[in-house]
Amino acid sequence: MYKNYTMNQIILPLNLEVKLDKNDIAFAVNDLVESIPEESFKDFARSTGCPAYHPRMMKIILCAYTQSVFSGRKIEALLKDSIRVMWLAQGYEPSYRTINRFRTNPKVAELLRQCFVQFRSQLVQDKQIDEEAIFIDGTKIEANANKFTFVWRKSTEKYSSNLIEKSNLMYDELLEKEIIPAIERENEEELTVKEIETIVEKLDDTIDMYTKQIDESDVASERKQLRSERKEPKKYRKQFADFLIRKQKYQRDMEIFKDRNSYSKTDHDATFMRMKDDYMRNGQLKAGYNLQIATEGQYALAYDIFPNPTDTRTFIPFLDTIEKNYF
């Protein structure tokens, strides 16, 4: 004897909520997002075009994250075969493009902050955590950058210092040999980018003058002499053109460094730091970030990401962030 089972019988659509357990994670996600004030979503509203999905449908993304599903296409698949996600979406099926556009929107960062605030408020209200205590710890996460794209501050400063010394020496040679006239300088210790550009322009004028004399001369010996004299300005012009490119690069590097000692060429926000040993017991320097998390009762209450390799330089800034944005 079998239980009744047939694929030909018509069944009315059921409320999917009744298929979920009472302690299902979907209910926690739903309560969390519903607790966000409606005014927090006003920046997403628009008056033209096709009506948009309500931002509260971020529930499907948060629920997917709890199931370790992060791909937009896989979240779209959950809308068709996951009861909890189907219930949270209430019959809607946004495409993976819509999901990805929403979660990459800069305005979503404020919504996530609101989620953390509401989450902590609920935990305090339910007496799940101690309101007066938090525990902070950090971990380093590897950036999506090649480990051979490093730029070091000490090397940049060394090369920049050598460039300043060499450019000053070569400029003095130009004046001594009277190849170009003296230029007006802001600082006698270092040639600026604008001053190097001026030197290149004056060298171009000198080279053009020799070229014009060569074209106008009909005497072979004189033309040969002029070409010989033109070689030196061309050599200096090539050197100063290289100095200009390098000077601009070193200035750009120092702007990216800020107060750091390194950065990655393919991810300027990442800093090279020593990670934990991998499965080959290799603890080399890799591009990464220092993730700081505040917890209480095993609940994550706040987070922030820093480029500093050590926790000592992130502690006070993280406390300021917690007080300002989360508590």
Side-chain angles (χ1 to χ4, degrees):
M1 187 174 184
Y2 299 103
K3 293 182 179 180
N4 182 37
Y5 174 74
T6 176
M7 299 294 294
N8 299 322
Q9 184 176 352
I10 298 176
I11 300 177
L12 295 175
L14 295 176
N15 184 2
L16 295 176
E17 182 179 357
V18 301
K19 301 290 291 181
L20 300 174
D21 295 334
K22 292 183 179 180
N23 59 347
D24 195 276
I25 189 66
F27 294 118
V29 172
N30 179 65
D31 293 342
L32 174 63
V33 177
E34 289 294 332
S35 64
I36 299 176
E38 186 63 32
E39 56 266 20
S40 300
F41 303 108
K42 63 181 180 180
D43 292 337
F44 292 87
R46 63 188 188 192
S47 57
T48 59
C50 180
Y53 293 108
H54 198 285
R56 290 194 191 276
M57 280 191 65
M58 65 186 291
K59 300 172 188 176
I60 64 175
I61 300 176
L62 296 179
C63 186
Y65 286 173
T66 65
Q67 310 302 309
S68 299
V69 177
F70 307 103
S71 165
R73 291 180 183 270
K74 290 183 178 179
I75 296 175
E76 181 185 15
L78 289 179
L79 289 165
K80 298 179 174 64
D81 54 26
S82 172
I83 294 177
R84 58 170 61 95
V85 177
M86 291 166 64
W87 173 67
L88 290 173
Q90 288 295 296
Y92 290 110
E93 295 183 359
S95 68
Y96 72 92
R97 293 188 181 89
T98 303
I99 294 170
N100 290 338
R101 276 197 301 268
F102 173 79
R103 60 181 176 178
T104 57
N105 191 323
K107 301 173 186 175
V108 174
E110 174 60 21
L111 282 184
L112 292 178
R113 188 190 70 81
Q114 290 274 1
C115 283
F116 274 94
V117 172
Q118 298 298 333
F119 182 57
R120 177 177 178 274
S121 298
Q122 287 187 12
L123 292 175
V124 172
Q125 184 177 352
D126 297 340
K127 298 182 180 181
Q128 295 290 322
I129 62 173
D130 185 356
E131 191 175 2
E132 300 297 328
I134 56 170
F135 301 88
I136 296 175
D137 196 7
T139 185
K140 294 175 182 144
I141 55 176
E142 189 174 347
N144 187 17
N146 193 298
K147 62 183 178 182
F148 299 112
T149 59
F150 47 78
V151 181
W152 302 107
R153 188 187 195 96
K154 285 187 177 180
S155 298
T156 302
E157 290 175 345
K158 175 184 175 183
Y159 296 144
S160 179
S161 178
N162 292 340
L163 173 62
I164 293 171
E165 182 180 351
K166 195 170 182 180
S167 61
N168 285 334
L169 181 62
M170 199 165 290
Y171 173 70
D172 292 338
E173 291 178 4
L174 287 173
L175 297 183
E176 184 180 347
K177 296 178 181 180
E178 297 182 351
I179 296 177
I180 63 170
I183 64 172
E184 188 176 339
R185 298 183 60 176
E186 298 178 5
N187 185 358
E188 294 296 327
E189 297 180 357
E190 179 181 357
L191 287 167
T192 64
V193 171
K194 187 176 181 180
E195 290 167 353
I196 295 178
E197 289 177 344
T198 304
I199 293 173
V200 172
E201 291 173 0
K202 289 186 177 296
L203 285 170
D204 284 335
D205 294 339
T206 303
I207 294 169
D208 291 341
M209 180 190 68
Y210 277 112
T211 303
K212 185 177 180 181
Q213 291 177 1
I214 292 170
D215 294 339
E216 292 175 351
S217 176
D218 296 330
V219 183
S221 59
E222 185 179 354
R223 290 164 61 89
K224 183 177 180 180
Q225 179 64 26
L226 290 170
R227 278 196 292 266
S228 178
E229 293 176 1
R230 189 179 61 175
K231 286 182 180 179
E232 197 165 31
K234 291 180 75 172
K235 181 185 72 173
Y236 281 113
R237 199 270 178 202
K238 182 178 179 181
Q239 287 286 344
F240 274 97
D242 179 60
F243 289 162
L244 179 60
I245 295 173
R246 289 166 56 190
K247 183 85 172 177
Q248 292 172 334
K249 177 185 180 300
Y250 297 151
Q251 288 186 352
R252 185 170 62 251
D253 288 344
M254 295 306 295
E255 290 174 0
I256 297 173
F257 281 130
K258 294 181 181 177
D259 58 345
R260 297 179 295 162
N261 292 322
S262 65
Y263 77 86
S264 170
K265 294 177 185 177
T266 55
D267 187 351
H268 292 173
D269 294 328
T271 305
F272 277 82
M273 53 188 73
R274 190 164 295 281
M275 302 288 181
K276 295 179 180 178
D277 292 351
D278 58 18
Y279 57 91
M280 295 295 289
R281 295 186 178 179
N282 187 3
Q284 60 189 338
L285 292 171
K286 297 178 182 177
Y289 299 93
N290 191 349
L291 174 63
Q292 296 290 310
I293 302 176
T295 66
E296 161 61 10
Q298 299 185 3
Y299 295 104
L301 305 179
Y303 76 96
D304 203 355
I305 298 177
F306 297 89
N308 312 106
T310 59
D311 293 346
T312 55
R313 298 175 62 186
T314 64
F315 181 65
I316 293 178
F318 186 39
L319 287 178
D320 294 338
T321 300
I322 292 173
E323 184 178 13
K324 179 181 178 182
N325 297 329
Y326 293 98
F327 288 9

